[in-house]
Each structure stands twice: as structure tokens, then as C-alpha cells.
């Protein structure tokens, strides 16, 4: 079976600053992979390369077997993205945002309405579909963004620090929603985070630091006899306060 | 996604969606519509009325007789609406980039040139509505071009709107922050408008200053104005048409280059 995402030997630099150095990882369909790293580790840069906001010059990135550089259309058509910063149009309602996104993927109005109800129900926002995004709570906006990312039935879902700025309950809601998606087996998920409590022991983890993959395996295997956070601190040498930030 | 969605039928849906979103945003911003109308109307009702007796106009094509200054200035004001709208679209691109909404557009599976062109078309559609609303009010002010002119004006408005929108699109790729946009007003909109044939015929300008005449002659906005002026009287100014199309193609190509992640400016910025 073709992997939902295959990243091999990807490097990227901004001028003299090396943001990523030979990064490789794989996300299978139905898998929840945690991309763990502190701020500045290179997570957002990697997401920008996968989504083709930046051009990847070295290494290769394939989404469902489609190289994002050579076949950007089919690759982008198969991925849904939740960016670190909010990207919904605040002046529109949730349903209008969903319809706009559907159109950007070639899905007509009638089908967009049906799909909109389905994805809103999936993220628990069916009753909020007519509300303007500006009136929603942070957690609701995040779930609306997940609904939007699911509108075109992606095989790969990328979420970049999707719980940042949310209260504990909203965070739990968002994480549960995403895990339920992975459990359904329909979509592979790459979950970028710096919060260890969002990672389960059996989750595949890619530990990214200063643009390099330091460890790759299940959280339990990486942690060994230590906790994941202690092992992370040992591997990266970062200060505990840096993670909290 | 089914393969046919990546084809032209899917692209048409995407184009419809982008135009629809632009229309909704425009409808929500009533003050934007009002200011787009008030600006040329102030010029027409006050400026043109005041200068009617000062500025004499000889018979120049497409006019077959002496015309009032209000009549002369109307095509220039139509172009002014499109100029402001083109820059407004560019402003909304910068805003979308700052708020993150731009990424939704850029991660669409369709080629970037298509997505940017669709965005441009959406902006032009809005500007055409504004121009016709302005001409409707102008009709009551006795600015009455031949009825066929309202029809032949449409393709001219599409071309001039696309050209001015393409200039705005390229500008939006170079502006890093919304705050920098004020400079566009001072360094792009006003010089383009005043150093053109929008308010005075070029021969009048030539009488005053050869240098200014040369500047007006080089200004692409002059050709947008002349394209509209002739079209409003059911005629085609081929020189203006050719220059508008060429400038539109050049700026559109530059904007697509600037937004291309593998070549341009936007993809190279760290975000």
C-alpha cells in the first residue's frame, strides 16, 4: 500500500540558516504520527515544503505516491492542512468557509453542502455551521479548520500545532477529534506539536530538533525507561522552560 | 479527489468559488462600495463642473463634436474606479497573507497561475459592477454615451481591469506588511491617475510640458483610459488595446513568477 506521506532526505535553508537537514519520515494511511519538536525545530518549514508553499529543492516528498514538485495538483488534492495560525475567513460563516474551500478543490455547491454537514457533524459543530467564524471560541475555530481540511476527503491530514493557545478542555476535544479520524483508518495524520501529553506511548514519533531527526520510533521505544519528555531533554539538550514556552 | 476535478470543469468550479467569495466580501463592505462610487462622483459633480469653463477641449477622437468637460472626464473616472479596485484587491491579498487566509488559496490543487488569475477575475468582476453603477448615476447628470457604448464598454473594462489588477497583484507580492500599503497610494495610484489622459487630453499636457507629456505617454493607465473612452463610443482604439494587453501579460507573468514557490519572492520569505 502506498504511504500517505513519504519524506526522504529533505533539506531546506533560508540563506545561510539551515532549517532542515536530511529529514525523512513516513506516514501510513490510518496512522497518527507525532512530529515532536520545540519552536524553531523546523516543523512549520517541513509543513510549508509538503504543502508547496515553499519549493523543496533537495530530497523528495510524496503524497500517496505523487511527488509534490512534479505532480503538485494530485498531491495537494489528497492532503488536508490545518496551519499553525488561523486561516479561516473570519468574516464568513463556517459553512461559507467550507463551501469556499470545496470550490478550491473543484467541488460544486450542492455537493459542498452535503459534505459540509457530514464533516461538521464529525467535528461536533453541526449546530454552529451558520455562525460567523469571528464569533467562535478558539477550540471551535480549530475544529472548524479540521472540518474544512476534511471537505475534500484527503488521504493525508497535516496539523501544525493545532492546539496552541487552547484551554485544556478545547485541546482535549481537538486531540480526540483527530485521533478518531486516525482510528477510522481513512486518513494518515501528521501531528506537529511540542506538547508531550498529546503523544501516547504507542504513537509513532519523529523527534525533530534544529532541522534534524534525532529519533524515530514509537514513543515508548524512544523513551525507554525514562519519560518521553526526559528523554527528549536528554537528546536535545534544551532547557525544560523552552518546551513550556 | 476524482481525477476530473483537476480538469477544466473543476477549475470552473474553483473560479466560481473565488468570484463568489469576493462578491460576498464586497457585499459585506458597503462602505467600500459607497467610497468606490463617491470618489468618481465627487470628481464628476464638483471638479468637472468647476473646470468646465476653464478647460477648453477641441474635437478629438472618439468625439465628433465639442464635448463638455464632464463628458471628457467620465472615461477617466471609470478607469479610476478600476485603478482603485485593482489596488484594493492587492490590499486584500496582503491582508489575506497576513491573516493566513492566503494559504488556503495557495494550497489549492490547481496551478498557481490559474488560482491567481481567478482571483484577478473576481476583482475585475467587482470593479465592472462599480463602473456600471457610476455610469448609471452619470446618466442622470446628462453624461449619455450612445446605448451601444454600454455594451462595447464591457470588453474594454475587462481588459483594463485585468491590467490594473495584474499591477496590483505584482505589488501585493512585494509588500511585506499591510502598513506599507499607504505608500502604494502615494507612489502608484496618484501618479498613475494624474499623469495620464484621464483628466486632460495629452495635447493639452504637451502644451504645458514635454517631459510630463512623455511621462503620460509612457503611463499604461493612459491607454486604459483611452481604451475605455473609445469603447464607450462604440469604437476600438487598437493602439490602446495592444498596449493594455501587453502590459497586462507582462505584469501577470511577473506576478505569477513572484508567487511561484520555486522561483519567486513569496515562497522565499520565511514564515
Amino acid at each position: 500500500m502506498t504511504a500517505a506521506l513519504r519524506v526522504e532526505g529533505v533539506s531546506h535553508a533560508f540563506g545561510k540558516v539551515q532549517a532542515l537537514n536530511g529529514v525523512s519520515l513516513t506516514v501510513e494511511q490510518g496512522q497518527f504520527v507525532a512530529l515532536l519538536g520545540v519552536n524553531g525545530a523546523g516543523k512549520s518549514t517541513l509543513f510549508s515544503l509538503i504543502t508547496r508553499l515553499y519549493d523543496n529543492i533537495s530530497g523528495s516528498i510524496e503524497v500517496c505516491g505523487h511527488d509534490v514538485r512534479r505532480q503538485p495538483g494530485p498531491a495537494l488534492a489528497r492532503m488536508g492542512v490545518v496551519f499553525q495560525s488561523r486561516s479561516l475567513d473570519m468574516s464568513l460563516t463556517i459553512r461559507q468557509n467550507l463551501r469556499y474551500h470545496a470550490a478550491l478543490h473543484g467541488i460544486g455547491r450542492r455537493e459542498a453542502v452535503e459534505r459540509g454537514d457530514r464533516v461538521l457533524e464529525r467535528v461536533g459543530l453541526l449546530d454552529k455551521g451558520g455562525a460567523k467564524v469571528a464569533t467562535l471560541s478558539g477550540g471551535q475555530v480549530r475544529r472548524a479548520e479540521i472540518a474544512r481540511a476534511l471537505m475534500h476527503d484527503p488521504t493525508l491530514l497535516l496539523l501544525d500545532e493545532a492546539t496552541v493557545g487552547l484551554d485544556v478542555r478545547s485541546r482535549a476535544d481537538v486531540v480526540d477529534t483527530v485521533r478518531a479520524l486516525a482510528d477510522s483508518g481513512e486518513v494518515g495524520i501528521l501531528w506537529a506539536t511540542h506538547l508531550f501529553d498529546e503523544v501516547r506511548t504507542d504513537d509513532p514519533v519523529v523527534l525533530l530538533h534544529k532541522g534534524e531527526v534525532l529519533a524515530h520510533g514509537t514513543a515508548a521505544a524512544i523513551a525507554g525507561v525514562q519519560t518521553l519528555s526526559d528523554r527528549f531533554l536528554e537528546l536535545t539538550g534544551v532547557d525544560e522552560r523552552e518546551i513550556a514556552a | 479527489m476524482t481525477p476530473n476535478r483537476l480538469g477544466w470543469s473543476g477549475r470552473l468550479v474553483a473560479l466560481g468559488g473565488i468570484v463568489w467569495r469576493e462578491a460576498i466580501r464586497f457585499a459585506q463592505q458597503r462602505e467600500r462600495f459607497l467610497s468606490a462610487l463617491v470618489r468618481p462622483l465627487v470628481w464628476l459633480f464638483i471638479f468637472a463642473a468647476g473646470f468646465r469653463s476653464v478647460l477648453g477641449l477641441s474635437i478629438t477622437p472618439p468625439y465628433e463634436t465639442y464635448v463638455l468637460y464632464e463628458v471628457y472626464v467620465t472615461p477617466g473616472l471609470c478607469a479610476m474606479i478600476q485603478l482603485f479596485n485593482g489596488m484594493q484587491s492587492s490590499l486584500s491579498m496582503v491582508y489575506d497573507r497576513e491573516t493566513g487566509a492566503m494559504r488556503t488559496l495557495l494550497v489549492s490543487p490547481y496551478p498557481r497561475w490559474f488560482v491567481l488569475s481567478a482571483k484577478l477575475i473576481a476583482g475585475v468582476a467587482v470593479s465592472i459592477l462599480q463602473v456600471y453603477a457610476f455610469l448609471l448615476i452619470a446618466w442622470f447628470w446628462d453624461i449619455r454615451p450612445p446605448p451601444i457604448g454600454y455594451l462595447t464598454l464591457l470588453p474594454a473594462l475587462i481588459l483594463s481591469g485585468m491590467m490594473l489588477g495584474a499591477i496590483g497583484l505584482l505589488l501585493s507580492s512585494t509588500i511585506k506588511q499591510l502598513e506599507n500599503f499607504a505608500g502604494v497610494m502615494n507612489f502608484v495610484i496618484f501618479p498613475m491617475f494624474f499623469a495620464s489622459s484621464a483628466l486632460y487630453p495629452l495635447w493639452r499636457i504637451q502644451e504645458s510640458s514635454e517631459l510630463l507629456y512623455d511621462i503620460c505617454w509612457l503611463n499604461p493607465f493612459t491607454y486604459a483610459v483611452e481604451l475605455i473612452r473609445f469603447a464607450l463610443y462604440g469604437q476600438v482604439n487598437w493602439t490602446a488595446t495592444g498596449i493594455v494587453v501587453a502590459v497586462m501579460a507582462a505584469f501577470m507573468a511577473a506576478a505569477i513568477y513572484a508567487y511561484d514557490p520555486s522561483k519567486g519572492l513569496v515562497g522565499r520569505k520565511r514564515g
Side-chain angles (χ1 to χ4, degrees), chain B residues 252-261 263-265:
Chain B
M252 196 61 205
I256 289 165
Y257 183 88
Y259 274 96
D260 188 315
K263 303 180 186 83
L265 306 166

Side-chain angles (χ1 to χ4, degrees), chain B residues 78 82 124 128 131-132 153-162 228:
Chain B
C78 292
Q82 291 202 298
V124 173
I128 288 174
V131 169
Y132 277 108
L153 178 66
L154 184 60
L157 289 177
I158 293 171
L159 285 179
S160 57
M162 292 287 281
I228 290 170

Side-chain angles (χ1 to χ4, degrees), chain B residues 38-55 68-74 77 80 141 193-194 198-200:
Chain B
V38 165
R39 199 179 299 117
L41 288 174
V42 164
W43 281 89
L44 185 67
F45 294 157
I46 302 171
F47 181 87
F51 276 78
R52 179 195 288 187
S53 56
V54 181
L55 291 169
L68 290 174
Y69 185 64
E70 290 97 312
V71 174
Y72 177 82
V73 87
T74 295
L77 296 179
M80 183 176 87
W141 198 249
F193 179 61
F194 288 114
L199 298 177
Y200 354 84

Side-chain angles (χ1 to χ4, degrees), chain B residues 27 60 80 103 128 143 162 170 187 203-204 206 213 242 254:
Chain B
T60 50
M80 183 176 87
R103 280 175 298 194
I128 288 174
I143 313 291
M162 292 287 281
L170 181 63
F187 294 105
W203 63 265
R204 270 275 183 197
Q206 194 173 19
Y213 169 77

Side-chain angles (χ1 to χ4, degrees), chain B residues 10-32:
Chain B
R11 290 184 191 195
L12 279 177
V13 172
L15 170 64
I18 292 170
V19 173
W20 169 77
R21 182 197 177 221
E22 197 71 21
I24 283 193
R25 289 184 71 173
F26 183 70
Q28 285 175 343
Q29 299 169 338
R30 280 186 205 143
E31 64 280 5
R32 183 179 155 191

